[in-house]
Amino acid sequence: SQTIHQWPATLVQPVGSPLSLECTVEGTSNPNLYWYRQAAGRGLQLLFYSVGIGQISSEVPQNLSASRPQDRQFILSSKKLLLSDSGFYLCAWKLGGVSEQYFGPGTRLTVT
Amino acid sequence: GESVGLHLPTLSVQEGDNSIINCAYSNSASDYFIWYKQESGKGPQFIIDIRSNMDKRQGQRVTVLLNKTVKHLSLQIAATQPGDSAVYFCAESRRGGSNYKLTFGKGTLLTVNP
């Protein structure tokens, strides 16, 4: 069966520091991968998606970036965090041609 | 613009009652509509989806109804249990090339009282 992992689970970082969140998927090949951000009490905002290695599409202009160095690895990065980057970051995967996405456990990021 | 919204932000029900969570959408081009359940501090969990050419789909204790005339979607949970307490999101899925993109609504908090 497929599983999706995210780490770290929680992170507290000062403003201006770099960020690297990692997401890996097991048990499937060539998944579509997604990064979402969820503010407290709000819905999910799509940040990036990837349909293959090295292929990244950005949905929202921001100081975040994403990379997909391997088929089942998706990384969210920032060179300098802002207070507004605080939130719950969720990685998701799906297979091509189907609608449903499956989410990881999330990373709670607090920028101080 | 495109949006998926919810009629009620909170819903409180008694254990054993049926729950109905509503959602309005504005984009007629959506291919699928999906319901997710999100428990506190966890990622959303897929519940059920419905294709845009269907009116009704049933799962285990859940039923999704789609009314395309009024662009309305609902999730019915039968015999609601305390474990059903969570935030429920509706999402619309539209295909763009080889990728389906989801647009989420704001969520409804369901509280089940014992």
Side-chain angles (χ1 to χ4, degrees):
Chain A
S1 63
Q2 301 89 358
T3 55
I4 179 169
H5 303 280
Q6 287 185 244
W7 64 89
T10 59
L11 188 61
V12 180
Q13 291 283 99
V15 169
S17 63
L19 173 73
S20 181
L21 302 181
E22 189 163 344
C23 170
T24 58
V25 181
E26 297 178 354
T28 188
S29 296
N30 196 30
N32 290 355
L33 296 172
Y34 304 82
W35 277 113
Y36 290 87
R37 177 170 58 205
Q38 184 177 32
R42 304 294 298 274
L44 283 72
Q45 178 187 36
L46 179 63
L47 302 176
F48 301 95
Y49 69 90
S50 172
V51 298
I53 296 174
Q55 301 178 59
I56 307 296
S57 297
S58 176
E59 289 293 300
V60 182
Q62 59 213 315
N63 70 320
L64 299 172
S65 62
S67 62
R68 185 170 177 174
Q70 301 181 42
D71 180 45
R72 290 170 289 176
Q73 183 184 31
F74 205 21
I75 298 173
L76 183 69
S77 304
S78 175
K79 293 182 179 178
K80 290 185 177 181
L81 283 168
L82 306 173
L83 286 174
S84 58
D85 292 324
S86 294
F88 193 43
Y89 288 82
L90 289 153
C91 181
W93 73 273
K94 66 176 284 294
L95 293 177
V98 299
S99 66
E100 63 264 29
Q101 297 179 15
Y102 298 94
F103 287 82
T107 294
R108 176 76 60 189
L109 171 65
T110 303
V111 182
T112 61
Chain B
E2 304 159 351
S3 66
V4 179
L6 295 169
H7 291 304
L8 295 173
T10 61
L11 177 65
S12 183
V13 301
Q14 291 299 121
E15 181 178 359
D17 289 350
N18 296 333
S19 302
I20 299 176
I21 301 171
N22 297 303
C23 180
Y25 65 92
S26 59
N27 193 325
S28 300
S30 299
D31 300 298
Y32 283 86
F33 297 90
I34 306 171
W35 283 99
Y36 284 89
K37 172 186 178 183
Q38 186 176 25
E39 297 176 333
S40 181
K42 298 182 179 180
Q45 178 184 6
F46 173 85
I47 302 174
I48 191 169
D49 66 356
I50 185 169
R51 292 179 63 102
S52 59
N53 62 355
M54 298 173 62
D55 298 320
K56 179 180 180 179
R57 190 174 184 202
Q58 288 184 297
Q60 185 177 12
R61 282 202 305 121
V62 296
T63 301
V64 57
L65 299 177
L66 176 62
N67 186 330
K68 294 178 285 294
T69 301
V70 296
K71 297 182 181 178
H72 182 268
L73 183 72
S74 69
L75 177 70
Q76 301 178 5
I77 305 174
T80 314
Q81 303 169 1
D84 294 326
S85 294
V87 177
Y88 288 81
F89 292 95
C90 64
E92 58 172 334
S93 175
R94 285 178 292 113
R95 185 168 184 170
S98 62
N99 182 46
Y100 282 92
K101 294 168 62 174
L102 293 181
T103 302
F104 283 82
K106 293 182 180 180
T108 292
L109 173 61
L110 174 65
T111 301
V112 182
N113 302 310

